[in-house]
Amino acid sequence: MQLAVFNGADRAEVTAALRPCIDVRRWVDQIADARPFASSEALLDFARNAADPFTPDEVEAAMAHHPRIGERPTASTTEASMSRSEQAGVDPADREITTALAEGNRAYEEKFGRVFLIRAAGRTAPEILAALHERLNHTAEEEDAIVAQQLREIALLRLEGVISE
Ligand code: 2AL
């Protein structure tokens, strides 16, 4: 969507475009209400600030939308297609890496009680696996901060993809 269209569109259309970036109503509403933006950069800066911090409830709600790494969603929603493209570095046919990721995901979920979440775009499968192994050593508090940061990075990258000048 072009920035000029985003600035002038009805609220419903704008919130529908923003929600697949991250399903946090406060973030979506604050951005929709702050229009018009003078540039994509101004929009991204505003969105970055509105995402910092996310409350623990917002993190939990947003997490529910993210499939496990290595489990590409097949749905035809915008969110699922964003997720597939973010996970493009993980080849589902590579059994060695998908098995290692599945084992790591299981261990992570057992320890932290939620899905392992990482900004996958721009990362190779071995990089994701290495991060997973390292993060398994963290405390719950350390992971809370990392997960919120990964959600911010995913939301901002998605927003960048939604808006053009
Ligand atoms: C994801 C996803 O779907 N996209 C991304 O960047 N990370 N999932 C995850 N569990 O980390």
Side-chain angles (χ1 to χ4, degrees), residues 12 14-25 27-29 65 79 158:
V14 167
T15 56
L18 289 171
R19 195 159 298 124
C21 299
I22 184 162
D23 194 9
V24 169
R25 184 143 185 190
W27 184 82
V28 167
D29 286 345
H65 293 262
E79 222 175 14
R158 288 183 176 190

Side-chain angles (χ1 to χ4, degrees), residues 59 108 111-114 135-148:
V59 168
Y108 185 97
K111 177 163 179 184
F112 296 107
R114 67 175 166 226
R135 285 173 51 186
L136 275 170
N137 297 317
H138 288 167
T139 62
E141 291 70 29
E142 286 169 330
E143 271 306 296
D144 286 349
I146 291 172
V147 166

Side-chain angles (χ1 to χ4, degrees), residues 66-69 83 86-87 115-120 154:
H66 286 287
R68 291 187 181 96
I69 293 289
S83 184
E86 288 154 2
Q87 294 205 34
V115 165
F116 167 69
L117 182 99
I118 189 166
R119 184 259 304 147
I154 293 170

Side-chain angles (χ1 to χ4, degrees), residues 8-152:
D10 338 323
R11 206 168 192 290
E13 200 183 331
V14 167
T15 56
L18 289 171
R19 195 159 298 124
C21 299
I22 184 162
D23 194 9
V24 169
R25 184 143 185 190
R26 175 194 57 78
W27 184 82
V28 167
D29 286 345
Q30 283 183 0
I31 296 171
D33 291 341
R35 292 174 301 149
F37 292 97
S39 63
S40 302
E41 206 163 86
L43 163 59
L44 291 170
D45 281 349
F46 183 93
R48 196 173 296 109
N49 284 330
D52 200 359
F54 284 136
T55 67
D57 283 352
E58 288 171 343
V59 168
E60 195 183 326
M63 289 292 298
H65 293 262
H66 286 287
R68 291 187 181 96
I69 293 289
E71 284 182 8
R72 289 200 204 178
T74 53
S76 60
T77 58
T78 306
E79 222 175 14
S81 115
M82 287 167 158
S83 184
R84 282 193 293 275
S85 91
E86 288 154 2
Q87 294 205 34
V90 181
D91 177 2
D94 183 338
R95 297 306 288 255
E96 201 175 317
I97 205 90
T98 53
T99 304
L101 284 168
E103 281 169 7
N105 279 335
R106 247 193 317 276
Y108 185 97
E109 286 169 33
E110 226 165 78
K111 177 163 179 184
F112 296 107
R114 67 175 166 226
V115 165
F116 167 69
L117 182 99
I118 189 166
R119 184 259 304 147
R123 288 187 161 112
T124 64
E127 284 168 351
I128 292 173
L129 186 61
L132 172 48
H133 287 157
E134 190 190 322
R135 285 173 51 186
L136 275 170
N137 297 317
H138 288 167
T139 62
E141 291 70 29
E142 286 169 330
E143 271 306 296
D144 286 349
I146 291 172
V147 166
Q149 176 59 24
Q150 296 304 300
L151 282 171
R152 275 191 283 279

